Structures are given as C-alpha cells and as structure tokens.
Amino acid sequence: MNIPESNLPRVVVIGGGFAGINLVKTLANRNVQVVLIDKHNYHTFQPLLYQVSSSGLEPDSIAYPLRKIIKKHKTSFFRLAEVKQIVPERNEVETSIGNVSYDYLVIATGTRTNFFGNKTIESHSMPMKTVPQALNIRSLILQNFEKATIANSEKEREAFLNFVIVGGGPTGVELAGAIAELKNHILPRDYHDLNPSDMNIHLLEGADRVLPPMSKHASKKAERFLKELGVRVHCNTFVENYDGLNVTTNSDLEMQSQTLIWAAGVTGSPVNGLKADTLVERANRYRVNRYNQVEGYDNVFAIGDIALMTTKAYPKGHPQVAQPAIQQGKLLGQNILRLVRNKPLKSFTYYDKGSMATIGRNKAVVDLKRYKFGGFFAWFVWMFVHLMSLVGFRNRVVVLFNWTYNYINFDKAARLIIRPFKK
C-alpha cells in the first residue's frame, strides 16, 4: 500500500465517518502514524442526506474530501480501498489494494440499511445511507414527476405521485417534511399540468408514535407539523411486502407507489476476521469495554455506530447517532496516545447533548435534558447546530446560502436529474 516505514506506532482506522475523522484529528501530528482507509474519498454529513434527496442541497455541500482533512497531518495517510478482512493473528488488514500491518486497529465502519431479511423490499425500495443513494432518490422523485405528466391513466399517475416513506424516526420524519414542501411549493409552479392534490406522502411507522427515540412531547408536535404539511401518518403499521409497485402492510392499508423509501432501521457494518462472539447478534455491533476495546483483543478497538458499549445508563448500547461517535473518536485518540506512553486509560462516559428533528420550514422539535420545545425557535436551533457541525468552512457557507435562498424564495434549487435512476 506504499505506506512509509516508520518507527512510530501505526494506527489503522477503517472508516471516515464521524467517529473515524474525530479520532484522526485527535492523533494529528502526534507520536503515531495514522492510516485511514475508506471505500469513499469523502466524509458524508449524514444528517443532511435527506436534503440532497429532496433537492434542497447539492451533494458537495454535505461531503468533504478525507485527504483535505489530513492534508496538514505529516504522519497521516489515506488509502481509497475496500477492507476484505482483518487478520488479528498477524496484526494485519487485507484490503482491495493490498495488506497493511498495524499496532493498533480502530474499526469505525458505522451502519448499513437494515431490511430485516426481506429481500423483495431490499430489491425494490430506496435506501438513503450514502450520497449516491440520496442522488438516486432525488432523480427518482423528479423522474416520477415527469412521468406523471404523461401518464395514460389516473391510476398510473397516482402511482407516480404516491410517495411512501417507511420509518418514522428522525430520517423518515425529516424526509417526509421535505417532500411535502416539494408538493406545496415546487409542484404548483413547475408542473402546471399536475394537480398538487393528486400527490400523496405516506409516512409509515411500526410504533404507536413518530420519533419513538424522542419524548412524547416531540412526537406529538412532529405529527401535528407533518399533518399540517399534508403528510399522511400511519402508526402501528408495518410494510410486509413491496414488489416495486404494490405496497402491502399488516393492516388493511394497501396502495400503489413507484417510490418507497426505506428509513426503518440500520444494522452494524462489521468486518470479517474477528472472533464470532465479539459481535452482538442481530445488531451486528462489536462488544466493547469502557475503553472501546473489542472484547478479547487488546489492540483492536471499535467506535461509533459499530460499537456496543453496555453501561448502567445505556444497557443496550449508546444511540447510533453522531454525538456518541464524535465523543468516542476523540477519547480513543487520547487513549491511544496514553497507551503509547504507558499511561492508564480513561473510560468513556457519554454526554447526551439532546436530540432534535426538523419537519419543514419553521417547524422542528428539540429535546434537551431540562427543556423540550418545538416550532420556529427549535427550527432555528436545529439549523445552527447542523450548520456548525458541518466539516469545512466552504460547506457551511454554501449550505447557509442555500438555506437562505430557499427560505426567501420558497424554492429548492438543486432539482436536477444529473444521473437518471433506473429501477
């Protein structure tokens, strides 16, 4: 892999998500050599993927080159590769471009979409975990608008204008709100030959309320905001099958739709090679101790969504969101430097900064430890937090400009079919 030989301990990091890049930043220009491996050459700000899907932002405003993150790190290197397996007996990682040895290995591979074993749904629905997937959704939505204008029958037009989102968590709620704004502001202006009332957005959630991880106060407000935007919310509803057109559920709700977006859950994305009992079944997350060491290994660590650390406060592991990943990445970086200096490690304690979700223009909900609120102020807080969390000054400027333009003009400027999607 052409990594320079060095007397410094080598830290190999698999994955350039929130956990991985915060670890790499913490180890910048310290007494270690860092090798970051990812199958993409960019970091994705996943909380805003839904805005790429709904034509609100271009992908380059939420993605950031990994090499740019480490360009001033003299002892850090990036390799664009897919990891095949880990060989812990040799302290080695096998990749699509060769093998690399390590002194310390950090697995930060995050999650992938969980279809719960339903291959038919997996084949026909649209996941939204990566930038290419978000662009596929954007193209499909716009292509369906175009096809609806030339549909030969009302039933055919209805299928093109029915949008089904499965999963009422933050991703599903935010995407439903964004598509509703397309219906309310873009469809009437761009598509004069379509009746906006023919377009329907269905949000299906298996639990008895939307936003199950958040407070009941947030769920109630979010559902009210969604209904105000025209979204049809179906709780206690599971999708049993989807063949690319027909949607069947556990209730008497059935419909035809050319677009079913799957936001119903995630599962870990582990790497082959470690002992089978290190993985928690179903969740596909590595069991780690309070120092993020994978059980049974002293020099192999897992951080972020792929790590399952059980504590009294979080018996089922920390939530699979950005903050635990960021905090674990920073602390593990400090702990690796302690290991190098033969100093004792610090255990991880998660500081919950709260959770939030936006439903649309001037509509959001925020849960903090002491306060829970919704509406315009919550929407402003959501925007500020996400803006400041973006990687790179340029990305913050571009996103701020787009949001300001969209807000003033009730517009979404990125509605381009650059790469047509084919089912």
CSV table of all heavy atoms in Angstrom, one decimal, residues 124-147:
chain,number,residue,atom,x,y,z
A,124,HIS,N,-36.4,-3.6,-4.2
A,124,HIS,CA,-37.3,-2.6,-4.9
A,124,HIS,C,-37.4,-1.3,-4.2
A,124,HIS,O,-37.8,-0.3,-4.8
A,124,HIS,CB,-38.7,-3.2,-5.1
A,124,HIS,CG,-38.8,-4.4,-6.0
A,124,HIS,ND1,-38.9,-5.7,-5.5
A,124,HIS,CD2,-38.7,-4.5,-7.3
A,124,HIS,CE1,-38.9,-6.5,-6.5
A,124,HIS,NE2,-38.8,-5.8,-7.6
A,125,SER,N,-37.0,-1.2,-2.9
A,125,SER,CA,-37.1,0.1,-2.2
A,125,SER,C,-35.8,0.9,-2.3
A,125,SER,O,-34.8,0.4,-2.9
A,125,SER,CB,-37.4,-0.2,-0.7
A,125,SER,OG,-36.3,-0.8,-0.1
A,126,MET,N,-35.9,2.1,-1.9
A,126,MET,CA,-34.8,3.1,-2.0
A,126,MET,C,-34.2,3.3,-0.6
A,126,MET,O,-34.8,4.0,0.3
A,126,MET,CB,-35.3,4.4,-2.6
A,126,MET,CG,-36.0,4.3,-3.9
A,126,MET,SD,-34.9,3.8,-5.2
A,126,MET,CE,-33.9,5.2,-5.4
A,127,PRO,N,-33.0,2.9,-0.3
A,127,PRO,CA,-32.3,3.2,0.9
A,127,PRO,C,-31.7,4.6,0.8
A,127,PRO,O,-31.6,5.2,-0.3
A,127,PRO,CB,-31.3,2.1,1.1
A,127,PRO,CG,-30.9,1.8,-0.3
A,127,PRO,CD,-32.2,2.0,-1.1
A,128,MET,N,-31.3,5.2,2.0
A,128,MET,CA,-30.7,6.5,2.0
A,128,MET,C,-29.7,6.6,3.1
A,128,MET,O,-29.8,7.2,4.1
A,128,MET,CB,-31.8,7.6,2.2
A,128,MET,CG,-31.3,9.0,1.9
A,128,MET,SD,-32.5,10.3,2.3
A,128,MET,CE,-32.6,10.2,4.1
A,129,LYS,N,-28.5,5.9,2.8
A,129,LYS,CA,-27.4,5.9,3.7
A,129,LYS,C,-26.2,6.6,3.2
A,129,LYS,O,-25.2,6.9,3.9
A,129,LYS,CB,-27.1,4.5,4.2
A,129,LYS,CG,-28.0,3.9,5.2
A,129,LYS,CD,-27.9,4.6,6.6
A,129,LYS,CE,-26.6,4.2,7.2
A,129,LYS,NZ,-26.4,4.9,8.5
A,130,THR,N,-26.1,6.8,1.8
A,130,THR,CA,-24.9,7.3,1.2
A,130,THR,C,-25.3,8.4,0.2
A,130,THR,O,-26.5,8.5,-0.1
A,130,THR,CB,-24.2,6.2,0.4
A,130,THR,OG1,-25.0,5.7,-0.7
A,130,THR,CG2,-23.9,5.0,1.3
A,131,VAL,N,-24.3,9.2,-0.2
A,131,VAL,CA,-24.6,10.2,-1.2
A,131,VAL,C,-25.1,9.7,-2.5
A,131,VAL,O,-26.1,10.2,-3.1
A,131,VAL,CB,-23.3,11.1,-1.5
A,131,VAL,CG1,-23.5,12.0,-2.7
A,131,VAL,CG2,-23.0,11.9,-0.2
A,132,PRO,N,-24.6,8.6,-3.1
A,132,PRO,CA,-25.2,8.1,-4.3
A,132,PRO,C,-26.6,7.6,-4.2
A,132,PRO,O,-27.4,7.8,-5.1
A,132,PRO,CB,-24.3,6.8,-4.7
A,132,PRO,CG,-22.9,7.2,-4.0
A,132,PRO,CD,-23.3,7.9,-2.8
A,133,GLN,N,-27.0,7.1,-3.0
A,133,GLN,CA,-28.3,6.7,-2.8
A,133,GLN,C,-29.3,7.9,-2.7
A,133,GLN,O,-30.4,7.9,-3.2
A,133,GLN,CB,-28.4,5.8,-1.5
A,133,GLN,CG,-27.8,4.4,-1.6
A,133,GLN,CD,-27.7,3.7,-0.3
A,133,GLN,OE1,-28.0,4.2,0.8
A,133,GLN,NE2,-27.4,2.4,-0.4
A,134,ALA,N,-28.8,8.9,-2.0
A,134,ALA,CA,-29.6,10.2,-1.9
A,134,ALA,C,-29.8,10.8,-3.3
A,134,ALA,O,-30.9,11.3,-3.6
A,134,ALA,CB,-28.9,11.2,-1.0
A,135,LEU,N,-28.8,10.7,-4.2
A,135,LEU,CA,-28.9,11.2,-5.5
A,135,LEU,C,-29.9,10.3,-6.4
A,135,LEU,O,-30.7,10.9,-7.2
A,135,LEU,CB,-27.6,11.3,-6.2
A,135,LEU,CG,-26.7,12.4,-5.8
A,135,LEU,CD1,-25.3,12.2,-6.4
A,135,LEU,CD2,-27.2,13.8,-6.2
A,136,ASN,N,-29.9,9.0,-6.1
A,136,ASN,CA,-30.9,8.2,-6.7
A,136,ASN,C,-32.3,8.5,-6.4
A,136,ASN,O,-33.2,8.6,-7.2
A,136,ASN,CB,-30.6,6.7,-6.3
A,136,ASN,CG,-29.4,6.1,-7.0
A,136,ASN,OD1,-28.9,6.6,-8.0
A,136,ASN,ND2,-28.9,5.0,-6.5
A,137,ILE,N,-32.5,8.8,-5.1
A,137,ILE,CA,-33.9,9.2,-4.6
A,137,ILE,C,-34.3,10.5,-5.3
A,137,ILE,O,-35.4,10.7,-5.8
A,137,ILE,CB,-33.9,9.3,-3.1
A,137,ILE,CG1,-33.7,7.9,-2.5
A,137,ILE,CG2,-35.2,10.0,-2.6
A,137,ILE,CD1,-33.6,8.0,-1.0
A,138,ARG,N,-33.3,11.5,-5.4
A,138,ARG,CA,-33.7,12.8,-6.0
A,138,ARG,C,-34.0,12.6,-7.4
A,138,ARG,O,-35.1,13.1,-7.9
A,138,ARG,CB,-32.4,13.7,-5.9
A,138,ARG,CG,-32.7,15.1,-6.5
A,138,ARG,CD,-31.5,16.0,-6.4
A,138,ARG,NE,-30.5,15.8,-7.4
A,138,ARG,CZ,-29.4,16.5,-7.6
A,138,ARG,NH1,-29.2,17.5,-6.8
A,138,ARG,NH2,-28.6,16.3,-8.6
A,139,SER,N,-33.3,11.8,-8.2
A,139,SER,CA,-33.6,11.6,-9.6
A,139,SER,C,-34.9,10.9,-9.7
A,139,SER,O,-35.7,11.2,-10.6
A,139,SER,CB,-32.5,10.7,-10.2
A,139,SER,OG,-31.3,11.4,-10.3
A,140,LEU,N,-35.2,9.9,-8.9
A,140,LEU,CA,-36.4,9.1,-9.0
A,140,LEU,C,-37.6,10.0,-8.7
A,140,LEU,O,-38.7,9.9,-9.4
A,140,LEU,CB,-36.4,7.9,-8.0
A,140,LEU,CG,-37.7,7.0,-8.1
A,140,LEU,CD1,-37.9,6.4,-9.5
A,140,LEU,CD2,-37.6,5.9,-7.0
A,141,ILE,N,-37.6,10.8,-7.7
A,141,ILE,CA,-38.7,11.8,-7.4
A,141,ILE,C,-39.0,12.6,-8.6
A,141,ILE,O,-40.1,12.8,-9.0
A,141,ILE,CB,-38.4,12.6,-6.2
A,141,ILE,CG1,-38.4,11.7,-4.9
A,141,ILE,CG2,-39.4,13.7,-6.0
A,141,ILE,CD1,-37.9,12.5,-3.6
A,142,LEU,N,-37.9,13.3,-9.2
A,142,LEU,CA,-38.1,14.2,-10.3
A,142,LEU,C,-38.6,13.5,-11.6
A,142,LEU,O,-39.4,14.0,-12.3
A,142,LEU,CB,-36.8,15.0,-10.5
A,142,LEU,CG,-36.4,15.9,-9.4
A,142,LEU,CD1,-35.0,16.5,-9.6
A,142,LEU,CD2,-37.4,17.0,-9.1
A,143,GLN,N,-38.0,12.3,-11.8
A,143,GLN,CA,-38.4,11.5,-12.9
A,143,GLN,C,-39.9,11.1,-12.8
A,143,GLN,O,-40.6,11.1,-13.8
A,143,GLN,CB,-37.6,10.2,-13.0
A,143,GLN,CG,-36.1,10.5,-13.5
A,143,GLN,CD,-35.2,9.2,-13.4
A,143,GLN,OE1,-34.0,9.4,-13.2
A,143,GLN,NE2,-35.8,8.0,-13.4
A,144,ASN,N,-40.3,10.8,-11.6
A,144,ASN,CA,-41.7,10.4,-11.4
A,144,ASN,C,-42.7,11.6,-11.7
A,144,ASN,O,-43.8,11.4,-12.2
A,144,ASN,CB,-42.0,9.8,-10.0
A,144,ASN,CG,-41.4,8.4,-9.9
A,144,ASN,OD1,-41.1,7.8,-10.9
A,144,ASN,ND2,-41.4,7.9,-8.7
A,145,PHE,N,-42.2,12.8,-11.3
A,145,PHE,CA,-43.0,14.0,-11.6
A,145,PHE,C,-43.2,14.1,-13.1
A,145,PHE,O,-44.3,14.4,-13.7
A,145,PHE,CB,-42.3,15.2,-11.1
A,145,PHE,CG,-42.4,15.4,-9.6
A,145,PHE,CD1,-41.6,16.4,-9.0
A,145,PHE,CD2,-43.3,14.7,-8.8
A,145,PHE,CE1,-41.7,16.6,-7.6
A,145,PHE,CE2,-43.4,14.9,-7.5
A,145,PHE,CZ,-42.6,15.8,-6.9
A,146,GLU,N,-42.1,13.9,-13.9
A,146,GLU,CA,-42.1,14.0,-15.3
A,146,GLU,C,-43.0,12.9,-15.9
A,146,GLU,O,-43.8,13.2,-16.8
A,146,GLU,CB,-40.7,13.8,-15.9
A,146,GLU,CG,-39.7,15.0,-15.5
A,146,GLU,CD,-40.1,16.3,-16.0
A,146,GLU,OE1,-40.9,16.4,-17.0
A,146,GLU,OE2,-39.8,17.3,-15.4
A,147,LYS,N,-42.9,11.7,-15.4
A,147,LYS,CA,-43.7,10.6,-15.9
A,147,LYS,C,-45.2,10.8,-15.6
A,147,LYS,O,-46.1,10.4,-16.4
A,147,LYS,CB,-43.2,9.3,-15.3
A,147,LYS,CG,-41.9,8.8,-15.9
A,147,LYS,CD,-41.4,7.5,-15.2
A,147,LYS,CE,-40.0,7.1,-15.8
A,147,LYS,NZ,-39.5,5.9,-15.1
